[in-house]
Amino acid sequence: MAAAKRKRDAPAARPKKRAKGVPSAPEPGAEPGPAGAEYSIPPPVSQGKWKNKERVLIFSSRGINFRTRHLMQDLRTLMPHSKADTKMDRKDQLFVINEVCEMKNCNKCIFFEAKKKQDLYMWLSNTPQGPSAKFLVQNVHTLAELKMTGNCLRGSRPLLSFDPTFDKEPHYALLKELFIQIFSTPQYHPKSQPFVDHVFTFTITDERIWFRNYQIIEEDASLVEIGPRFVLNLIKIFQGSFGGPTLYENPHYQSPNMVSSFVFVFLSWFKPSQQLSTTQPLTHFPHPVGWGRKSGKKK
Amino acid sequence: MARRGSLSDSGSDSGSEDSSLSDSELQEAFSRGALKPGLNVVLEERPKRRNDADGLRQCLSELKQQLAWVERLDVTSGQVVDPASQSASSKDAVDPENDFQREMSFYRQAQAAVLEALPRLRKLQIPTRRPDDYFAEMAKSDQQMQKIRQKLKSKQEAMERSERAKQLRAMRKYGKKVQTEILQRRQKEKKNMLNAVKKYQKGLSDKLDFLDEEQTSSQGNKNGSASQRIKKGPNAKRRYKNQKFGFGGKKKGSKWNTKESFNDVSSFRSKVAHNKGPGKSGKGGKKALNKRPGKRARQKMKSRAR
């Protein structure tokens, strides 16, 4: 109410949009025109049209690094239908998240989990009963990076673009549906802007899902990247939310532990093993690699 | 069910490995040939990756919401076919390691989606263009955009600066080349002029053509000298050496042979060398031109010509 009263005095030629009290969706271009003539209390934004009550809870576990934190903040900025929550302790089991979502009245969830201060896992879930998926996140670039020069309205609705590969496999189709429901901003959401000026792309390359966000500059589809960008490596799809029977396991997924141990073994082929534990008594000298015969004996 | 594998080196007992099968069964299997001699171990079967396609489809049908397209705004499309580059069917050949190609493929996919979606949005009267006077909060703050603009500007300036520096360097190099050429040409002219003056002084040529601008090669001028000898002046070898090394100011070894000149036998005329040419004593003619007069005779000739 106070906001509406204040607006009465201000010139309405430049509608400055804040969270509420805004002229609503369908004809924003027409608004500056007749506003000069007579003034009426602007109706609530959604005008009762907001039907799709989708809410996404975005939060993380403890031990995330700055990049993950920024990524989370960026997602919250880009998705006006998201809610934030405090960090969850790693001690709690994952199904506690379902209760947290229920308390916040959210029906979707994005949960970031950081392990060993290096690996970042992301859970996407439909909270009461639906499926959930776990991903390994790689190659994170946030909104703040200076190479990405585009910009978009805060809270504007995105266009979602998918690879045709998403329709070919049942697990990809399920993921596509999950992405659509999580990332698309409901129409007439009170915090949303009525314009469609950016596009999220999900592409499948190299058995991974690549996410990009572009700003639409011109009507002829010239695009500039806004960010953030990340790569999702699917691990598993579960039937329940944060639990339940496994519906799909990605055969191409290799856990970061396996990768690093493989690298370690591979590298140790080239170096003679020099690590001797200090507690063990030295019973024999380690045989250096490359000395096959006694030095005196020539071929 | 555990599979049985056998190691290559022969081991000892195999019976204790599977306690689930009795000895008689093992014997039967062996007689059939299903077992190979050696150590039979129970191999861990690779855990099968679960792929419950029916469960996935059922989940999908449960998850699906009956929403109008305008709520979801999703587009599934291939890429914009770029006539300049490869066709869209070779998208599978996009090398994920090649960053530029990969990003271009994402870009084209986004473009295709936008081109498909914009007409639909226009039909549904959803605006896509922001009016110029519509100011609202943006995803990135103005400060951030300023930083981005600064960075772009500084990069561009650095590039321009380096371009200018390169051009300057190239121009300087070219200028220096031109200048050295000019200097060399001037020195050559000076040298020629001096030679001509010296020749005139020594009386070998009484033309004063060198005073003119044009220096043409000496033409056959028949008047002014009695002896044909003086017309020709010294012989060709002499003239060559005089031209190469000039008069006066000789360096010590400048008329000695060098390796190249020693090895150069192009001017060897065997008939001349062995004195066997035509027009020799056999014909009765005297090759006065090839015979070099002695020192005294030469001096006389010189003094006579002065």
Side-chain angles (χ1 to χ4, degrees):
Chain A
M1 273 310 239
K5 279 214 171 107
R6 195 168 24 146
K7 269 222 161 194
R8 206 184 271 278
D9 298 326
R14 290 172 33 151
K16 214 163 172 63
K17 207 155 201 168
R18 286 289 170 248
K20 290 193 185 159
V22 171
S24 71
E27 278 91 43
E31 190 58 26
E38 54 166 68
Y39 196 76
S40 55
I41 300 172
V45 182
S46 50
Q47 285 178 326
K49 288 194 193 164
W50 178 33
K51 294 279 187 305
N52 181 13
K53 307 281 168 84
E54 200 75 55
R55 289 183 197 86
V56 181
L57 185 67
I58 304 184
F59 71 120
S60 73
S61 71
R62 312 193 81 205
I64 52 175
N65 61 357
F66 70 98
R67 209 182 288 273
T68 316
R69 202 166 15 94
H70 277 105
L71 177 65
M72 233 174 30
Q73 280 171 2
D74 295 340
L75 285 179
R76 283 185 202 144
T77 314
L78 289 176
M79 295 160 59
H81 57 295
S82 64
K83 289 200 181 163
D85 197 23
T86 55
K87 292 189 202 144
M88 189 186 82
D89 229 352
R90 209 105 45 76
K91 289 196 298 257
D92 305 333
Q93 308 272 2
L94 284 175
F95 57 77
V96 167
I97 302 180
N98 293 325
E99 293 169 9
V100 173
C101 287
E102 171 127 9
M103 281 201 298
K104 288 253 167 170
N105 196 14
C106 291
N107 56 357
K108 298 280 186 304
C109 176
I110 301 181
F111 177 61
F112 289 99
E113 195 181 349
K115 288 253 173 82
K116 289 190 188 176
K117 291 200 179 21
Q118 298 169 4
D119 313 322
L120 177 64
Y121 297 99
M122 179 165 103
W123 288 85
L124 288 184
S125 161
N126 176 22
T127 13
Q129 77 277 23
S132 53
K134 184 174 181 186
F135 301 91
L136 176 70
V137 184
Q138 290 165 321
N139 288 12
V140 175
H141 294 262
T142 58
L143 266 183
E145 304 219 344
L146 292 177
K147 292 248 170 99
M148 306 207 238
T149 50
N151 201 354
C152 67
L153 284 173
R154 185 174 219 163
S156 65
R157 302 185 59 212
L159 204 55
L160 300 171
S161 158
F162 291 94
D163 211 358
T165 323
F166 273 100
D167 290 334
K168 294 202 182 123
E169 308 264 330
H171 60 273
Y172 283 142
L174 184 61
L175 285 180
K176 176 180 165 182
E177 189 62 34
L178 210 54
F179 286 145
I180 291 174
Q181 290 187 10
I182 289 181
F183 287 103
S184 63
T185 305
Q187 206 181 12
Y188 308 123
H189 190 281
K191 286 195 201 163
S192 69
Q193 305 270 359
F195 302 103
V196 175
D197 63 353
H198 63 294
V199 51
F200 289 161
T201 48
F202 298 87
T203 321
I204 297 182
T205 310
D206 192 26
E207 319 294 341
R208 290 173 172 83
I209 302 174
W210 301 70
F211 172 87
R212 297 282 182 273
N213 179 14
Y214 295 101
Q215 175 194 9
I216 304 172
I217 304 181
E218 286 296 325
E219 299 284 304
D220 67 350
S222 54
L223 307 170
V224 167
E225 186 158 1
I226 309 172
R229 47 153 85 168
F230 49 86
V231 178
L232 298 174
N233 204 350
L234 174 65
I235 305 176
K236 280 189 188 182
I237 302 182
F238 301 99
Q239 193 180 359
S241 165
F242 295 99
T246 310
L247 287 176
Y248 181 78
E249 254 182 79
N250 187 6
H252 306 281
Y253 169 71
Q254 275 182 324
S255 82
N257 293 338
M258 267 173 45
V259 172
S260 57
S261 73
F262 176 71
V263 167
F264 180 74
V265 165
F266 182 73
L267 285 180
S268 68
W269 263 100
F270 295 98
K271 292 196 285 202
S273 56
Q274 287 156 354
Q275 274 94 349
L276 294 172
S277 99
T278 49
T279 57
Q280 271 183 356
L282 203 63
T283 53
H284 68 282
F285 288 101
H287 192 78
V289 168
W291 290 13
R293 335 172 164 271
K294 289 195 222 162
S295 50
K297 207 174 179 183
K298 289 289 184 185
K299 286 192 205 90
Chain B
M1 196 156 74
R3 279 189 305 172
R4 251 170 260 149
S6 59
L7 303 178
S8 51
D9 30 344
S10 59
S12 47
D13 52 33
S14 54
S16 56
E17 293 297 334
D18 344 23
S19 49
S20 50
L21 291 175
S22 67
D23 284 345
S24 54
E25 287 182 19
L26 282 176
Q27 279 171 351
E28 280 174 29
F30 185 68
S31 57
R32 264 182 291 149
L35 286 182
K36 285 192 246 165
L39 186 63
N40 287 309
V41 286
V42 175
L43 275 185
E44 268 277 327
E45 180 136 292
R46 270 206 78 149
K48 273 215 219 12
R49 305 293 187 154
R50 297 216 46 187
N51 184 353
D52 186 3
D54 295 326
L56 287 167
R57 279 190 213 104
Q58 197 191 357
C59 237
L60 178 59
S61 57
E62 282 171 22
L63 183 64
K64 252 191 172 19
Q65 294 169 341
Q66 298 309 320
L67 287 174
W69 179 80
V70 74
E71 285 283 344
R72 294 150 33 110
L73 293 180
D74 69 308
V75 176
T76 307
S77 60
Q79 296 177 15
V80 168
V81 175
D82 191 7
S85 74
Q86 314 158 2
S87 66
S89 62
S90 68
K91 189 234 172 200
D92 311 38
V94 165
D95 178 20
E97 307 292 332
N98 184 348
D99 290 344
F100 183 69
Q101 219 182 5
R102 199 183 58 217
E103 297 296 325
M104 280 316 289
S105 75
F106 299 158
Y107 187 88
R108 281 197 292 269
Q109 186 194 322
Q111 273 189 325
V114 167
L115 287 173
E116 195 182 313
L118 281 183
R120 285 171 85 172
L121 286 173
R122 249 178 257 130
K123 252 190 282 180
L124 293 166
Q125 287 170 344
I126 293 181
T128 50
R129 292 199 68 228
R130 202 156 56 105
D132 293 327
D133 54 355
Y134 189 97
F135 292 100
E137 202 176 349
M138 308 287 280
K140 295 189 192 173
S141 65
D142 284 340
Q143 218 181 20
Q144 178 76 11
M145 297 309 287
Q146 278 281 32
K147 257 199 260 179
I148 291 175
R149 241 172 267 139
Q150 282 285 48
K151 183 142 197 262
L152 281 178
K153 229 197 299 187
S154 67
K155 253 205 256 182
Q156 210 167 11
E157 270 171 25
M159 236 176 26
E160 270 175 27
R161 236 179 291 141
S162 73
E163 272 297 319
R164 256 183 273 138
K166 249 190 262 180
Q167 272 181 357
L168 215 64
R169 255 180 283 139
M171 261 177 37
R172 266 197 224 127
K173 213 171 172 186
Y174 177 70
K176 179 136 189 194
K177 197 162 58 139
V178 165
Q179 187 164 30
T180 53
E181 270 178 23
I182 289 176
L183 285 177
Q184 277 179 357
R185 201 173 357 121
R186 276 196 212 142
Q187 278 188 344
K188 226 189 271 183
E189 278 180 12
K190 182 174 168 189
K191 184 174 158 188
N192 288 343
M193 178 73 95
L194 286 180
N195 285 349
V197 167
K198 273 199 195 137
K199 264 197 239 174
Y200 176 70
Q201 279 180 342
K202 302 233 171 158
L204 292 173
S205 71
D206 53 357
K207 292 179 284 191
L208 286 173
D209 284 351
F210 57 84
L211 288 177
D212 304 334
E213 288 292 305
E214 286 297 312
Q215 285 285 352
T216 57
S217 56
S218 61
Q219 317 228 347
N221 195 356
K222 303 286 181 189
N223 51 350
S225 48
S227 164
Q228 206 187 6
R229 194 80 187 86
I230 299 175
K231 267 317 325 165
K232 294 252 164 132
N235 67 8
K237 186 173 163 191
R238 206 79 310 263
R239 266 186 292 139
Y240 166 74
K241 285 213 170 153
N242 289 341
Q243 179 240 318
K244 188 170 176 194
F245 304 110
F247 300 103
K250 301 183 197 48
K251 291 206 198 87
K252 200 164 164 196
S254 59
K255 291 195 178 169
W256 296 350
N257 271 333
T258 62
K259 187 177 177 183
E260 287 83 21
S261 73
F262 186 80
N263 289 333
D264 176 25
V265 290
S266 56
S267 56
F268 178 77
R269 310 263 175 273
S270 97
K271 299 234 170 113
V272 169
H274 301 302
N275 237 354
K276 282 198 177 67
K280 242 354 243 169
S281 349
K283 275 269 172 99
K286 194 168 93 168
K287 288 189 89 181
L289 296 167
N290 279 345
K291 267 264 189 190
R292 188 169 175 237
K295 182 172 177 179
R296 202 77 185 101
R298 272 183 278 136
Q299 279 178 346
K300 273 201 206 139
M301 275 197 285
K302 245 200 217 171
S303 57
R304 218 190 308 141
R306 273 180 186 252

